[in-house]
Amino acid sequence: MKNIGLLFIIFNGILILNSCSEDDAQPCPQTEVISMQINGQVKQFHIDGNGIDLDRDGSGHTLSLWLSTGVFQPQQDSYAITIKLPYKKTGTNIIEKFNYFRVQNGSSAESDFVEGELQSEVIINTNSCFSATFSGRTIVDGNEIVITEGTITHIYNEPFE
């Protein structure tokens, strides 16, 4: 009878350990949303591209996302944002680069929000999708740029290998 009880405990222990996987990350979002308020105006973006680079010191990989809205011609009101952060890492304020570029009335302006003031939360960062929220402020050519309610939920066309 002791052997049956011991086998029961071992069997349940194995079941419990196997039910906990290493990949308990949140599932990919079902809806694609890339939007933010820039100085109070809601802007919808799309992802032009993404990529993963090996870090120079070989310590890991960096994920890059390229966002844009508008048409980049001199008279158009257009934005491009480049985001760089550690691949597969989640958490608060882990974005290493948040480059803001704007073309308006024939001139352009550029700044990195990380050097200004950027608050972010990366929720999902897997080989098949990405989700984050962010807000911040910086000075571009003497003008304060404020981003609020920034949201990215994106599913990659093809998962990274």
Side-chain angles (χ1 to χ4, degrees):
M1 193 66 159
K2 279 184 170 179
N3 288 342
I4 293 173
L6 184 59
L7 285 173
F8 179 74
I9 291 171
I10 292 171
F11 177 74
N12 281 333
I14 291 171
L15 266 174
I16 290 170
L17 289 175
N18 283 334
S19 67
C20 298
S21 74
E22 291 179 22
D23 196 16
D24 281 341
Q26 294 185 351
C28 286
Q30 298 299 308
T31 324
E32 180 105 0
V33 176
I34 304 141
S35 70
M36 63 194 81
Q37 285 191 27
I38 301 176
N39 290 345
Q41 293 184 338
V42 175
K43 301 287 183 183
Q44 301 295 323
F45 285 72
H46 60 274
I47 294 197
D48 289 329
N50 53 56
I52 298 176
D53 296 315
L54 181 63
D55 294 341
R56 289 179 191 231
D57 62 3
S59 63
H61 295 83
T62 297
L63 172 66
S64 298
L65 300 170
W66 299 283
L67 319 175
S68 70
T69 187
V71 178
F72 286 94
Q73 295 178 357
Q75 300 306 316
Q76 297 291 327
D77 187 15
S78 305
Y79 297 83
I81 294 176
T82 302
I83 299 173
K84 293 186 180 263
L85 67 150
Y87 176 52
K88 289 194 174 179
K89 187 172 181 183
T90 59
T92 303
N93 298 328
I94 62 167
I95 293 176
E96 297 170 347
K97 182 175 185 171
F98 190 99
N99 190 69
Y100 167 94
F101 179 76
R102 181 175 185 186
V103 175
Q104 182 181 31
N105 298 326
S107 64
S108 64
E110 184 173 12
S111 183
D112 187 353
F113 269 74
V114 173
E115 294 172 2
E117 177 185 317
L118 180 71
Q119 299 295 314
S120 64
E121 179 71 26
V122 177
I123 302 157
I124 301 171
N125 188 356
T126 69
N127 70 330
S128 55
C129 61
F130 180 83
S131 178
T133 59
F134 53 90
S135 63
R137 63 182 66 233
T138 193
I139 303 296
V140 179
D141 293 339
N143 298 310
E144 183 177 51
I145 306 298
V146 178
I147 292 179
T148 58
E149 299 180 31
T151 301
I152 300 172
T153 56
H154 176 64
I155 302 165
Y156 304 127
N157 291 333
E158 293 186 30
F160 296 115
E161 292 186 28

